[in-house]
Amino acid sequence: MKRILSLAFLLFCFTQPISAIEFVDVTQQAGINYSANSFGSSWGDINNDGWPDLWLGDHIELPHLYINNRDGTFTDHLKTIIPGLIKSRDMHGAAFADYDNDGDQDLLILTGSNYGTGSSPNYFLVNKAGTLSEIRSPLNYPLGRGRTPLWFDWNNDGFLDLLAGNTPRPDGQAPTALFTQNQGEFIKASTQTGFTSAANNSFAQLFTIGTEYRPSLILNGAPFPDKLFAYDTLPFDELKNDYATTFSNLWNVRDAVIADLDGNQLPDIFVVREKQGAAELLQPEANQIAALLSVNGDEKSFSFQSNGSVEFQIYPFWHIGPNRIFIGESGINPNRYHSIFSLTSVDATGQYPHTAGVDFGVYISYDTDTQTWQVSVSSSSHFIFKLVIIGENSLESVTRINFGNTNLAQNDHLILQYESGFTDNTIAAGLQIPTPCSSVVAADFDNDMDLDLYLACQSMATNLQNILYENLGQGVFQLVDNAGGAGGSMNGLTDTVSTNDYDRDGFIDLLITNGHGSAPFADGPTQLFHNMGNDNHWLEIDLEGKKSNRDGIGAYLLLTTNDISQYRLQGGGMHRFTQDSSRIHFGLANNETADSVVIHWPSGTVQTLLNVPADQIIRVVESEGSTDLAPTQPDIPPETDGPAASNDGGDASDGGGGAASIYTLILLALLSGLGLGITQRKH
């Protein structure tokens, strides 16, 4: 469905041209050819070559696993990397992590236990030399109605534990649960930690609280947050009530960003919200109508005029079926099970008798006197009808009868963290415009040393233009026209947005999935937007834990240059249904060196790197104490061969896609008896 320009006009009224942030749609050039029902995306590095690969979830058919070819393109290698993966109709959120600390990234995919009415084991795929093999699941939770996993090491034993973010089942079984990893098996940790939740926890994220940077866990719910735990004590310290006033009215939260948005080295919270609607009818093209109508003991109708034949698409066909579609005064049923059929006015003269709000069905009629079509939907209990109508010619005089469109837009909220607590700073930040958005990310898209915001938006039956806010400094934002070129597809319904630097040029790119929900509105393309960049400098960091978990999840970093400090939290990249690239990115503006990078590892180790040159990707290996970095000349390793090949440090090939050559070095140093392993990729 076409993106509606009314939202674009609303945003234009509040927009001034301010930004050099520019995105270009490179989906086709990149070889990502996917347009269908989606369930999030996840970025990881399957073959350990230092280039991010892409998992695309699919709620209905087989997912896709795109391997980065290191030249700006991707190839789908699902069948070779996960041989024997069978189709599942209920795959949900996925997350990469090195759960077994063997140096490569494994993949966990949560399932929905047959829509919460049955049992379905989760997919636990272990990486062996670039091939993912399903093993007997060490996570025994087949009844869970899974949504989004979260890896983190709550007990700091060096092995990742798991939170399975679930939505409630009708029978109340298998709610969101926390599991501790013990010798490769995952065991429920509710008794030891005091962790419980029966809410709709579609996602959870890591957080730090206060200037002590207490490691914390925040769970989505209604209202948001459902839970806010500090997990540095046993049982966990529930902190939500300490901030009850700030969080009291955050209903209908769809996604959240955890990031330092005002530059005070403390993470803040930005949430996007979207109401559930009862009705929407739109006309995205002159010859099209898209309608989502929720009825509950009532009837909703609309009419239009048109010459020529009209095609009707009525969903969900598996619940309605042709015998519940009544055409004309005789109530003729269509002869196609999939409820897609074409009619002329002669076929539909008159309306089939029925009792509105009691009889269940779709009633299609044509009035020869007024030359008007009418479509009515009726049910005695709650039911959602989805319809697409396509005319041979234009559809005119489209009229809603006894209903109006639901406005899904709600005010998003920016909650800033200070030493004294939390404050809602939405209006002062310039973020007060109501939006109907379902996914959000933060990144320094222009590398100017502050974090910008990108919101992916939708309505009930069509897409809406996505939104880009540029951070003007200290947490004040301004809209960027047409989202800097990433306004998004006209087709489908926006599902999620994720961030990555797929070509390793130091500028953060965007991936949008547009297959939310079910037919007929979910058939939208996945889109990759390349960040065109500018002259600003940058630094990217991969972490490798030794005493801490291998991925360094739970670490936080403070980078300082010219007396300006930036905070980043290694949270594994998780938000609703989606995993951003976990590689840590800093914009450095016109600074060619980071004066210092201080890494606070989950183990308690504090590691300091000094005078780090800009425009490179470095791998920092956890040491046993504070160390300084003195860069040396690069050592170029051999090329890898094929999608499943691996080397220990990444490759030295030209990145293509506009990136300059990026080299790799391994620096091994002993400073005051302490070990430091650094891998650098020079830009």
Side-chain angles (χ1 to χ4, degrees):
M1 293 295 107
K2 187 176 182 180
R3 290 189 180 271
I4 301 304
L5 296 181
S6 57
L7 179 61
F9 176 78
L10 172 66
L11 299 181
F12 176 79
C13 295
F14 293 87
T15 305
Q16 300 175 15
I18 55 162
S19 174
I21 301 176
E22 182 182 359
F23 293 98
V24 174
D25 187 341
V26 296
T27 311
Q28 294 304 312
Q29 301 95 299
I32 298 174
N33 184 21
Y34 177 70
S35 182
N37 190 272
S38 60
F39 209 103
S41 62
S42 300
W43 291 91
D45 186 2
I46 292 291
N47 51 14
N48 217 15
D49 66 351
W51 294 75
D53 306 310
L54 172 63
W55 170 270
L56 284 180
D58 189 310
H59 199 203
I60 304 298
E61 302 295 339
L62 276 175
H64 295 261
L65 182 53
Y66 285 97
I67 297 301
N68 194 325
N69 296 323
R70 302 177 298 185
D71 60 359
T73 68
F74 293 80
T75 302
D76 189 353
H77 281 282
L78 178 74
K79 292 182 179 179
T80 57
I81 291 179
I82 315 179
L85 183 68
I86 61 173
K87 180 175 118 176
S88 168
R89 293 183 60 86
D90 213 12
M91 283 186 177
H92 290 171
F96 289 100
D98 186 1
Y99 96 99
D100 51 6
N101 287 347
D102 66 350
D104 48 32
Q105 292 195 307
D106 312 297
L107 181 65
L108 172 66
I109 311 159
L110 296 186
T111 64
S113 64
N114 295 321
Y115 306 94
T117 61
S119 175
S120 177
N122 299 296
Y123 288 86
F124 208 105
L125 304 173
V126 176
N127 193 332
K128 298 298 182 184
T131 298
L132 295 176
S133 301
E134 187 172 6
I135 62 171
R136 180 191 64 80
S137 179
L139 175 65
N140 184 21
Y141 210 53
L143 296 181
R145 198 175 180 186
R147 288 301 182 265
T148 311
L150 177 69
W151 295 103
F152 73 115
D153 182 10
W154 71 262
N155 58 3
N156 274 337
D157 65 352
F159 289 91
L160 288 172
D161 308 307
L162 177 69
L163 187 144
N166 293 345
T167 195
R169 289 170 56 102
D171 59 14
Q173 297 187 75
T176 293
L178 178 64
F179 298 88
T180 301
Q181 185 179 172
N182 182 14
Q183 296 182 344
E185 301 289 326
F186 289 86
I187 302 167
K188 266 193 177 182
S190 54
T191 301
Q192 187 177 10
T193 63
F195 177 94
T196 59
S197 179
N200 183 358
N201 305 130
S202 56
F203 64 94
Q205 294 164 296
L206 297 187
F207 194 53
T208 62
I209 293 180
T211 54
E212 300 84 11
Y213 297 97
R214 293 188 71 186
S216 304
L217 176 66
I218 190 165
L219 279 73
N220 183 38
F224 179 93
D226 172 51
K227 302 286 185 179
L228 177 59
F229 290 112
Y231 60 85
D232 56 353
T233 63
L234 284 178
F236 291 174
D237 190 1
E238 170 61 275
L239 301 176
K240 179 181 176 181
N241 291 336
D242 295 347
Y243 309 107
T245 302
T246 303
F247 295 118
S248 60
N249 294 310
L250 295 183
W251 295 88
N252 302 315
V253 169
R254 297 296 301 279
D255 199 8
V257 155
I258 305 296
D260 178 15
L261 296 171
D262 63 348
N264 70 345
Q265 298 86 59
L266 294 174
D268 310 304
I269 304 170
F270 178 74
V271 298
V272 290
R273 304 193 302 155
E274 182 184 36
K275 288 190 294 188
Q276 298 298 309
E280 181 171 72
L281 184 145
L282 301 166
Q283 192 170 8
E285 301 283 357
N287 71 329
Q288 292 185 19
I289 291 172
L292 187 150
L293 304 176
S294 175
V295 293
N296 187 4
D298 64 334
E299 179 173 283
K300 291 183 172 66
S301 307
F302 61 91
S303 63
F304 60 91
Q305 295 178 335
S306 181
N307 297 320
S309 65
V310 179
E311 178 183 281
F312 294 82
Q313 301 178 18
I314 300 175
Y315 292 86
F317 65 81
W318 49 91
H319 289 307
I320 300 173
N323 63 330
R324 293 296 184 177
I325 300 171
F326 305 93
I327 302 168
E329 62 184 352
S330 300
I332 298 171
N333 304 127
N335 59 10
R336 294 194 61 187
Y337 176 72
H338 280 71
S339 302
I340 301 175
F341 52 90
S342 294
L343 300 174
T344 65
S345 58
V346 175
D347 302 320
T349 302
Q351 187 180 70
Y352 183 70
H354 65 283
T355 302
V358 176
D359 295 327
F360 178 84
V362 180
Y363 303 88
I364 301 172
S365 62
Y366 183 79
D367 188 321
T368 56
D369 293 335
T370 62
Q371 297 181 336
T372 301
W373 291 85
Q374 180 170 310
V375 179
S376 301
V377 298
S378 171
S379 179
S380 61
S381 58
H382 181 256
F383 194 82
I384 298 175
F385 295 86
K386 300 178 181 182
L387 305 96
V388 173
I389 297 172
I390 303 173
E392 179 182 5
N393 300 307
S394 62
L395 308 179
E396 300 176 350
S397 302
V398 179
T399 304
R400 303 176 190 87
I401 301 173
N402 62 28
F403 75 92
N405 279 355
T406 304
N407 182 7
L408 302 185
Q410 288 199 288
N411 292 102
D412 305 320
H413 282 266
L414 173 62
I415 309 297
L416 295 182
Q417 183 178 183
Y418 299 101
E419 292 185 26
S420 57
F422 295 91
T423 299
D424 191 321
N425 205 53
T426 307
I427 295 175
L431 299 171
Q432 70 273 23
I433 302 171
T435 70
C437 301
S438 58
S439 189
V440 61
V441 291
D444 190 354
F445 293 116
D446 50 2
N447 284 348
D448 65 349
M449 301 178 68
D450 50 39
L451 295 175
D452 313 299
L453 292 167
Y454 182 91
L455 288 64
C457 309
Q458 63 168 17
S459 191
M460 295 169 61
T462 188
N463 261 334
L464 297 174
Q465 181 173 290
N466 298 330
I467 297 171
L468 174 63
Y469 287 109
E470 183 182 4
N471 194 333
L472 303 180
Q474 297 183 332
V476 176
F477 294 84
Q478 194 158 347
L479 281 162
V480 178
D481 188 35
N482 190 33
S489 172
M490 294 181 178
N491 299 313
L493 285 179
T494 297
D495 179 27
T496 60
V497 55
S498 60
T499 57
N500 63 90
D501 181 12
Y502 75 92
D503 56 354
R504 304 200 315 185
D505 66 353
F507 288 86
I508 298 299
D509 309 302
L510 294 166
L511 185 106
I512 318 296
T513 57
N514 287 300
H516 174 71
S518 58
F521 309 128
D523 189 13
T526 294
Q527 288 185 287
L528 179 64
F529 288 98
H530 177 246
N531 189 334
M532 298 301 289
N534 54 39
D535 292 332
N536 284 340
H537 299 288
W538 53 273
L539 181 67
E540 295 184 8
I541 301 175
D542 291 329
L543 298 179
E544 182 180 326
K546 290 298 184 182
K547 185 177 180 182
S548 303
N549 65 87
R550 176 89 181 205
D551 291 339
I553 292 175
Y556 69 91
L557 294 79
L558 295 171
L559 179 149
T560 301
T561 188
N562 280 343
D563 297 324
I564 297 175
S565 294
Q566 301 180 62
Y567 165 100
R568 298 288 188 272
L569 173 65
Q570 176 54 284
M574 299 309 300
H575 54 118
R576 175 179 166 268
F577 306 160
T578 300
Q579 183 178 31
D580 300 327
S581 173
S582 58
R583 179 170 285 161
I584 296 165
H585 170 269
F586 292 95
L588 297 179
N590 61 354
N591 298 286
E592 297 182 356
T593 302
D595 297 341
S596 67
V597 180
V598 181
I599 304 166
H600 296 257
W601 294 89
S603 65
T605 296
V606 179
Q607 192 166 354
T608 302
L609 315 180
L610 299 178
N611 302 318
V612 184
D615 303 332
Q616 61 174 333
I617 301 170
I618 65 173
R619 174 175 293 272
V620 182
V621 179
E622 181 181 14
S623 67
E624 297 178 2
S626 180
T627 59
D628 297 338
L629 168 66
T632 66
Q633 294 300 311
D635 176 26
I636 304 175
E639 292 284 347
T640 59
D641 182 19
S646 172
N647 62 37
D648 290 334
D651 74 276
S653 65
D654 191 316
S661 296
I662 303 177
Y663 301 102
T664 303
L665 68 85
I666 298 177
L667 172 64
L668 298 174
L670 283 175
L671 299 177
S672 302
L674 303 176
L676 169 65
I678 303 274
T679 299
Q680 287 185 309
R681 300 183 183 98
K682 295 286 289 181
H683 181 269

